[in-house]
Amino acid sequence: MPTVLEIEGLRTYIRQRRGTVRAVDGVDLRIDEGETLGLVGESGSGKSMTAMSIMRLLPPGGYIAGGTIKLNGRDITHLEEDEMRKVRGEEVAVIFQDPMTSLNPTMTIGRQIGEVLRIHRGWSGERARQRAVEVLGLVGMPNPAERLNTYPHQLSGGLRQRVMIAIALACDPTLLIADEPTTALDVTIQAQILNLLDDLRRRLRMSVLLITHDLGVIAGRADRVAVMYAGKLVEEAPTEELYRHMHHRYTEALMDSIPKPGQDRSKLLYSIPGLPPDLVDPPAGCRFAPRCRFATSECHAFEPQLDGTGTHRYACFHPVGDVAPSPAVPVAEAAS
């Protein structure tokens, strides 16, 4: 199966007054055609920064310090901005967390979809209008032709998110990045949007990078899951394998913090102690060690290497289950 996205050794840093934030620090990812990869982790783990590195929409002071990003076999890591504008929307598109702040409140829905088609396809007038109606219908918008003259504030949160998806799909991208696409929505609408993305992926043979902090969102929707913590991947596996036999202690802690059917309601959910590290000065060794209940002196002195058998990789010296600990990388070597 063709590989749509291939990331190797990606390092994305952000220069700030107090130092350089190592937001993404040596990440490898791969997404094949028609596949959904779930990227999971707490806020500040580097998930969105990974997505913004792919789109080359980094914040002030942000830059790609190393590694490569290949999209459909082409290295886009250091494309000139004019070339990158042609890639965004045409080959890769993104759905952001909050559609109300992502849509232009001064433009109608039809104009916003038409703008994408004008820029990338050179379409305007009736042709762009017909395509706008088509993609709005594709995402389940009621009465799509009548919605073209509607402004974002006239729509509910769920319908605004459908508009965002329609804009992303207007030029048939091969990769769709969904960055916390249901965060601002209620539970019922969340399920509708996630089901819609899953249906579109199957029908259009798109590849999807689904970013979330909620392992429950990934279940049954992603083919593979990559767990990210403090700028690094700590575990990657096929979804069913990860849920049945997770190995990294951070993945276990995330799983323990999710409500489960039939659990004792009198007991509090597990809460991971402490906070993610400051990535201006990350801890030596395993970055999860300061918060891990199983950490030993080895975890603070050495960095575990992302390793494993077959398609299941993990970076942990004290893994869950009867599996071998990860190989150690000297801290000095890991920081280089």
Side-chain angles (χ1 to χ4, degrees):
M1 191 173 293
T3 297
V4 171
L5 177 70
E6 186 175 12
I7 298 175
E8 293 183 351
L10 177 64
R11 291 183 289 125
T12 301
Y13 296 168
I14 307 170
R15 295 188 188 94
Q16 297 184 345
R17 287 184 179 179
R18 62 191 186 90
T20 300
V21 179
R22 300 170 68 166
V24 181
D25 205 5
V27 165
D28 297 338
L29 285 177
R30 188 197 82 253
I31 306 178
D32 292 333
E33 183 184 70
E35 180 182 41
T36 296
L37 174 69
L39 188 57
V40 184
E42 294 170 283
S43 296
S45 62
K47 310 181 304 298
S48 293
M49 198 56 63
T50 300
M52 293 302 98
S53 299
I54 299 168
M55 297 293 293
R56 294 272 302 282
L57 294 173
L58 298 174
Y63 65 100
I64 295 176
T68 58
I69 303 169
K70 291 183 179 179
L71 183 65
N72 298 315
R74 179 170 62 144
D75 189 343
I76 64 169
T77 316
H78 301 292
L79 280 184
E80 295 293 332
E81 182 57 24
D82 286 348
E83 286 297 310
M84 197 62 211
R85 285 197 191 102
K86 298 174 184 177
V87 173
R88 298 187 199 111
E90 181 76 24
E91 296 182 51
V92 55
V94 63
I95 305 167
F96 294 103
Q97 294 185 26
D98 185 0
M100 195 58 203
T101 57
S102 302
L103 293 170
N104 189 330
T106 68
M107 293 173 62
T108 63
I109 300 308
R111 278 191 64 196
Q112 293 190 59
I113 299 174
E115 185 176 47
V116 179
L117 296 166
R118 178 181 59 79
I119 292 171
H120 291 288
R121 300 286 174 87
W123 297 359
S124 60
E126 186 59 27
R127 191 177 187 186
R129 179 184 173 85
Q130 289 177 0
R131 178 58 178 167
V133 172
E134 182 183 345
V135 290
L136 285 175
L138 191 65
V139 301
M141 176 70 76
N143 306 313
E146 298 173 15
R147 298 289 186 179
L148 294 183
N149 295 322
T150 302
Y151 288 89
H153 72 272
Q154 296 174 297
L155 300 174
S156 67
L159 292 182
R160 286 196 292 264
Q161 195 61 290
R162 289 176 189 270
V163 172
M164 281 296 301
I165 298 171
I167 293 172
L169 295 179
C171 292
D172 297 316
T174 54
L175 175 65
L176 180 66
I177 300 173
D179 187 2
E180 302 273 13
T182 61
T183 297
L185 307 175
D186 63 55
V187 175
T188 303
I189 304 302
Q190 280 185 26
Q192 292 178 8
I193 295 299
L194 290 169
N195 288 337
L196 172 63
L197 289 174
D198 205 30
D199 179 58
L200 290 170
R201 188 260 303 177
R202 285 195 298 265
R203 290 164 59 187
L204 304 178
R205 294 297 299 165
M206 277 190 313
S207 301
V208 177
L209 177 60
L210 178 57
I211 298 172
T212 180
H213 62 275
D214 187 351
L215 275 167
V217 167
I218 295 296
R221 302 186 186 280
D223 299 290
R224 291 184 297 116
V225 179
V227 182
M228 199 166 180
Y229 182 77
K232 291 183 174 289
L233 285 188
V234 296
E235 186 163 13
E236 183 183 7
T239 307
E240 288 189 14
E241 168 71 15
L242 186 91
Y243 277 76
R244 290 178 182 173
H245 307 291
M246 84 271 314
H247 293 327
H248 199 281
R249 293 296 177 176
Y250 177 61
T251 310
E252 179 189 43
L254 288 177
M255 205 74 76
D256 286 346
S257 65
I258 299 175
K260 298 174 181 63
Q263 73 179 45
D264 188 347
R265 294 188 178 183
S266 65
K267 293 183 178 179
L268 294 174
L269 285 173
Y270 177 71
S271 178
I272 305 175
L275 295 171
D278 182 355
L279 294 182
V280 170
D281 185 24
C286 175
R287 293 186 177 181
F288 185 57
R291 306 174 69 193
C292 181
R293 46 192 162 166
F294 300 94
T296 63
S297 58
E298 180 185 23
C299 303
H300 294 279
F302 300 94
E303 182 172 344
Q305 182 179 340
L306 191 65
D307 197 22
T309 56
T311 56
H312 195 156
R313 302 188 298 158
Y314 56 94
C316 189
F317 292 136
H318 306 287
V320 184
D322 185 20
V323 292
S326 298
V329 179
V331 171
E333 181 181 328
S336 62

